[in-house]
Amino acid sequence: MLEALVCPVTQAVLTYDAERQELVSKAAHLAFPIRDGIPVMLVSEAREVE
């Protein structure tokens, strides 16, 4: 399913961080949480990453 998801900001590929349960957009410097197995792809819910 990861192949079907892209960053809502940049449309770039996402990487999965299993430890933090997040999908990371390196292009947008954002990490989107996964809650109860469901990715939350809202920019307002994302945290900034370096």
Side-chain angles (χ1 to χ4, degrees):
M1 181 166 137
L2 181 58
E3 298 84 26
L5 295 174
V6 295
C7 174
V9 177
T10 64
Q11 306 303 308
V13 177
L14 299 168
T15 56
Y16 175 58
D17 183 340
E19 185 177 309
R20 291 182 176 250
Q21 289 292 295
E22 295 177 324
L23 294 174
V24 179
S25 171
K26 293 179 182 178
H29 303 282
L30 293 172
F32 299 91
I34 299 173
R35 296 190 185 126
D36 298 321
I38 301 170
V40 181
M41 303 303 293
L42 300 171
V43 176
S44 61
E45 294 289 322
R47 69 176 183 89
E48 291 188 28
V49 294
E50 291 187 23

